[in-house]
Amino acid sequence: QKEVEQNSGPLSVPEGAIASLNCTYSDRGSQSFFWYRQYSGKSPELIMFIYSNGDKEDGRFTAQLNKASQYVSLLIRDSQPSDSATYLCAVEAGNNRKLIWGLGTSLAVNP
Amino acid sequence: EPEVTQTPSHQVTQMGQEVILRCVPISNHLYFYWYRQILGQKVEFLVSFYNNEISEKSEIFDDQFSVERPDGSNFTLKIRSTKLEDSAMYFCASRGTGEFYEQYFGPGTRLTVT
């Protein structure tokens, strides 16, 4: 059974700080990894995807992938109150590229 | 910017009734998916659809569920006889072809079975 695990939080950071969100996955053959943001009652919104080991930066967001450790992380720099949401880690699986999801980490950015 | 749309946004139905959830994927996408999320739980894969047929389905997707692409734009999920435990948010997603393409999600349909 392929699993994706996240710390459910809540993670609370002050405005302007760096928020660090972590995710581990069980399928060593996984190749594609995604971070989605979900506001309460809304659909997942893609923030970033990463396929290669190392770091990938997009604005205030940096995704980090370590396939040997089966670990993906998301860093949010200069956190804003509008970043307060649940962050979902998703891993592609199988030939049909379905997504296997973590439970999500709830992030609260305090003004 | 192209987006995935879903209707209705909220559906209330009685147990045992049939419901059809509708989705319009992004026009040049060829892979379509349905996921559901029960309140407070993980998003779960239900089914994937490619080339006018189901390409993969999960254990959740039993005989009560079916999917269809009745025309060139719509993609539907039917639940034949709803149960209380079918109450959830249902999300449609689509993706383009190629090695590295992400899935884009619709706004979801909240299904409430009473």
Side-chain angles (χ1 to χ4, degrees):
Chain A
Q1 180 81 351
K2 298 181 176 65
E3 297 284 344
V4 177
E5 299 294 337
Q6 294 181 256
N7 186 330
S8 62
L11 174 65
S12 183
V13 300
E15 185 174 354
I18 295 175
S20 177
L21 305 161
N22 304 315
C23 171
T24 59
Y25 59 95
S26 63
D27 184 4
R28 189 168 285 279
S30 297
Q31 296 293 323
S32 304
F33 308 88
F34 302 83
W35 283 100
Y36 285 83
R37 176 171 61 197
Q38 186 177 36
Y39 295 108
S40 181
K42 303 296 185 182
S43 65
E45 173 193 5
L46 181 69
I47 300 175
M48 288 192 70
F49 54 89
I50 187 167
Y51 307 115
S52 304
N53 272 331
D55 295 0
K56 179 181 178 185
E57 188 173 315
D58 184 1
R60 296 187 296 114
F61 300 95
T62 298
Q64 299 173 317
L65 174 60
N66 184 326
K67 291 185 180 180
S69 300
Q70 296 174 243
Y71 177 91
V72 191
S73 66
L74 180 70
L75 299 177
I76 307 174
R77 288 182 299 282
D78 188 24
S79 297
Q80 301 297 309
S82 57
D83 294 327
S84 299
T86 297
Y87 288 81
L88 305 176
C89 174
V91 178
E92 256 189 13
N95 294 331
N96 297 296
R97 312 288 184 97
K98 68 178 182 239
L99 294 178
I100 307 297
W101 298 79
L103 184 57
T105 299
S106 175
L107 172 66
V109 181
N110 305 308
Chain B
E1 185 172 316
E3 59 182 14
V4 178
T5 59
Q6 289 186 245
T7 53
S9 57
H10 190 190
Q11 174 91 47
V12 181
T13 189
Q14 289 189 325
M15 197 167 49
Q17 296 297 304
E18 174 183 286
V19 294
I20 297 176
L21 310 182
R22 291 183 168 79
C23 169
V24 179
I26 294 173
S27 63
N28 62 345
H29 285 184
L30 297 179
Y31 295 86
F32 313 121
Y33 304 83
W34 283 102
Y35 296 86
R36 78 172 185 189
Q37 186 178 31
I38 295 170
L39 188 63
Q41 297 187 21
K42 291 183 179 184
V43 177
E44 301 173 288
F45 166 75
L46 292 178
V47 66
S48 60
F49 192 87
Y50 172 71
N51 203 23
N52 287 322
E53 62 182 21
I54 291 174
S55 50
E56 186 174 352
K57 57 185 180 180
S58 71
E59 293 175 354
I60 303 168
F61 195 89
D62 61 21
D63 292 343
Q64 293 301 312
F65 292 87
S66 62
V67 290
E68 206 174 48
R69 194 151 192 245
D71 54 43
S73 59
N74 289 286
F75 179 48
T76 62
L77 174 69
K78 181 193 291 186
I79 309 175
R80 287 190 184 82
S81 178
T82 50
K83 308 182 186 74
L84 294 177
E85 54 266 35
D86 293 328
S87 295
M89 283 289 285
Y90 287 80
F91 298 112
C92 172
S94 69
R95 70 182 284 271
T97 55
E99 184 65 19
F100 299 115
Y101 268 84
E102 56 273 25
Q103 293 182 26
Y104 290 92
F105 281 73
T109 293
R110 178 173 300 281
L111 176 65
T112 302
V113 182
T114 61

